Every structure is written in structure tokens, then in C-alpha cells.
């Protein structure tokens, strides 16, 4: 006989599946952010990060942190299998996505000289 306190609902059984989903989503957003990193320069002029770079960096970070927080709230009996592997993968993803958010707000890498030092050669 199952006690009413330990009744397993379909939504609680699907909760551990959200950890791999959020981890995969954050990895995809990191890949998209890195693919769009060439948006910052156009014809040797620094344009700054594009809107889609901001969206992918912040959303990817939110998904990675969400996966870790969701894993932390799971009962010990459900912290195994795909949820555990995804939480382990979400940890370095979180660090990488934190670095991408930091780089979004970093100053112009060329120091304002656009094509990174060509001002010394070309008058």
C-alpha cells in the first residue's frame, strides 16, 4: 500500500528529465553565442555585441543555472542516471557561460583602434 505522502505523480516523475533538457539547451545556446561572435566587427569597425549575443549568453546562463538548481532540489533517489550526468556537464557550461556574459560587458578588445593595431602602419 502506498502512503499518500510518497505518491508519485506523473509530473514529479518527469522532473528529472528537465535537467538534461536544460543542460542541452544551455549547450546549444553557448554554441549559438560563439557562432555569432563575429557580429562585433564589420569592415574593421567595432560595433559591439549584437542583441542575439546578449540573448544567447544570458538565456544559456539561466538554463545552466536552472539545471543545477533543479538537480539540487531533486530527492536523493532521483539524483542518478541522466540527471547526474547532465548536472556534471552543466557545471563547466555554467562557468563558460559566465565568461561569455563577462566578455559581453568587457571594453573594446582592440582598444578603440578598430583593426587591432593597424593604426601604427596605416596613417
Amino acid at each position: 500500500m502506498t502512503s499518500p505522502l510518497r505518491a508519485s505523480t506523473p509530473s514529479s516523475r518527469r522532473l528529472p528529465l528537465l535537467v538534461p533538457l536544460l543542460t542541452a539547451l544551455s549547450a546549444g545556446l553557448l554554441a549559438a553565442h560563439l557562432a555569432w561572435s563575429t557580429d562585433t566587427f564589420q569592415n574593421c569597425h567595432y560595433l559591439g555585441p549584437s542583441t542575439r549575443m546578449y540573448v544567447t549568453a544570458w538565456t544559456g546562463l539561466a538554463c545552466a543555472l536552472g539545471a543545477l538548481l533543479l538537480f539540487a532540489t531533486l530527492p536523493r533517489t532521483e539524483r542518478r542516471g541522466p540527471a547526474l550526468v547532465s548536472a556534471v556537464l552543466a557545471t563547466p557550461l555554467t562557468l563558460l557561460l559566465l565568461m561569455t556574459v563577462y566578455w559581453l560587458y568587457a571594453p573594446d578588445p582592440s582598444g578603440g583602434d578598430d583593426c587591432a593595431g593597424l593604426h601604427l602602419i596605416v596613417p
Side-chain angles (χ1 to χ4, degrees), residues 38-65:
T38 58
D39 289 355
T40 56
F41 283 94
Q42 183 178 19
N43 297 329
C44 287
H45 292 287
Y46 182 72
L47 302 175
S50 64
T51 303
R52 59 187 180 181
M53 289 177 69
Y54 282 102
V55 169
T56 54
W58 280 107
T59 308
L61 181 61
C63 288
L65 287 174

Side-chain angles (χ1 to χ4, degrees), residues 40-41 46-49 54 100-113:
T40 56
F41 283 94
Y46 182 72
L47 302 175
Y54 282 102
T100 60
V101 169
Y102 171 77
W103 287 327
L104 282 175
Y105 297 101
D108 179 4
S110 65
D113 295 323

Side-chain angles (χ1 to χ4, degrees), residues 6 11-20 22-23 66-87:
R6 301 288 272 146
S11 63
S12 69
R13 281 182 269 151
R14 285 181 264 184
L15 199 58
L17 295 177
L18 283 177
V19 177
L22 287 172
T23 303
L68 290 174
L69 290 174
L70 183 63
F71 180 77
T73 61
L74 288 175
R76 283 197 186 267
T77 57
E78 295 180 4
R79 290 185 188 179
R80 54 180 164 39
L84 178 63
V85 171
S86 297

